Amino acid sequence: GENVEQHPSTLSVQEGDSAVIKCTYSDSASNYFPWYKQELGKRPQLIIDIRSNVGEKKDQRIAVTLNKTAKHFSLHITETQPEDSAVYFCAAITGNQFYFGTGTSLTVIP
Amino acid sequence: DTEVTQTPKHLVMGMTNKKSLKCEQHMGHRAMYWYKQKAKKPPELMFVYSYEKLSINESVPSRFSPECPNSSLLNLHLHALQPEDSALYLCASSHPRVSNEQFFGPGTRLTVL
């Protein structure tokens, strides 16, 4: 089955700086890669996603890049704000089954 | 309606109790999922229903019993749980023929005493 690795497990940045979270996957059949943000006690919320036929996608301060050959994808958050503090999960999807990364706890220091 | 709803929000039960978690969506999604999530860990898939049929059971103990009465509802029946089953139980739904995106409910925080 699919194996998704996510790094780093914790990340602290100063407000206004950029944050980058990286994931790798193993199954070349995976074709959809969402990123979820989860605040304490709340549900995971989809913040951006990318499909395997696209290399990069941007939505305001958030961007995702995908390298299919290397089987890795990354989340980039620019101009970070304290409200960006949360746990972020990447995932790789094969069929209708999600494989989540282990999560990154992001803290944005004001 | 673009939300997945779950009830109850919180549940405390003893190891001999029987209880049920409920999940509902009215987005016409035909796949529904149960996940278990421990603090600061990723959601762990438990069950997948596709077109009201159980398609994936990730070796979940029989003290968890899923039920999909119709395309909008998903239940998780709980019986003889253990304290280590305490977790956030998340329901999600998707429309497999339209998009891979899964929509998560707010979860039920379960505590087993």
Side-chain angles (χ1 to χ4, degrees):
Chain A
E2 176 66 280
N3 180 41
V4 179
E5 295 188 0
Q6 182 172 346
H7 299 281
S9 57
T10 59
L11 179 60
S12 291
V13 299
Q14 291 289 335
E15 181 177 358
D17 286 352
S18 295
V20 180
I21 303 170
K22 298 183 179 182
C23 287
T24 61
Y25 63 100
S26 59
D27 188 347
S28 56
S30 291
N31 58 6
Y32 174 65
F33 307 91
W35 285 91
Y36 285 86
K37 174 184 179 183
Q38 188 173 26
E39 296 175 58
L40 191 63
K42 296 193 175 179
R43 76 185 84 189
Q45 294 269 19
L46 179 72
I47 55 171
I48 196 165
D49 56 12
I50 193 166
R51 299 191 185 278
S52 57
N53 58 349
V54 176
E56 185 174 356
K57 184 176 177 181
K58 190 173 181 181
D59 182 4
Q60 299 182 346
R61 297 187 296 109
I62 296 172
V64 57
T65 58
L66 171 65
N67 183 326
K68 279 178 57 179
T69 305
K71 295 194 184 73
H72 66 71
F73 56 112
S74 301
L75 177 71
H76 305 253
I77 306 174
T78 58
E79 300 171 28
T80 53
Q81 301 166 3
E83 51 266 36
D84 294 330
S85 296
V87 179
Y88 291 80
F89 294 101
C90 65
I93 285 70
T94 306
N96 65 352
Q97 193 151 359
F98 269 45
Y99 298 89
F100 284 92
T102 48
T104 296
S105 180
L106 173 65
T107 302
V108 179
I109 304 164
Chain B
D1 189 348
T2 57
E3 274 206 330
V4 177
T5 59
Q6 288 186 245
T7 56
K9 288 186 179 179
H10 302 274
L11 178 62
V12 179
M13 60 187 290
M15 289 190 284
T16 59
N17 292 155
K18 284 186 181 180
K19 297 285 184 184
S20 296
L21 309 184
K22 294 183 185 299
C23 174
E24 192 167 358
Q25 58 86 15
H26 295 287
M27 295 180 279
H29 290 175
R30 302 310 297 272
M32 296 184 77
Y33 311 77
W34 279 116
Y35 290 89
K36 173 184 176 180
Q37 187 179 28
K38 293 279 199 178
K40 295 199 173 180
K41 298 291 186 182
E44 296 175 40
L45 183 65
M46 300 175 72
F47 302 104
V48 180
Y49 273 84
S50 182
Y51 293 85
E52 295 94 70
K53 293 193 187 321
L54 183 65
S55 62
I56 296 175
N57 175 342
E58 291 286 354
S59 303
V60 179
S62 59
R63 58 185 184 267
F64 295 92
S65 174
E67 178 196 17
C68 188
N70 59 56
S71 60
S72 300
L73 294 173
L74 185 66
N75 298 322
L76 186 63
H77 302 297
L78 315 173
H79 174 55
L81 294 194
Q82 304 296 310
E84 59 265 29
D85 297 322
S86 299
L88 180 68
Y89 286 83
L90 292 162
C91 173
S93 70
S94 70
H95 200 314
R97 292 182 183 170
V98 173
S99 166
N100 297 110
E101 182 180 350
Q102 288 194 8
F103 293 77
F104 283 88
T108 293
R109 174 72 59 191
L110 174 67
T111 302
V112 182
L113 301 176

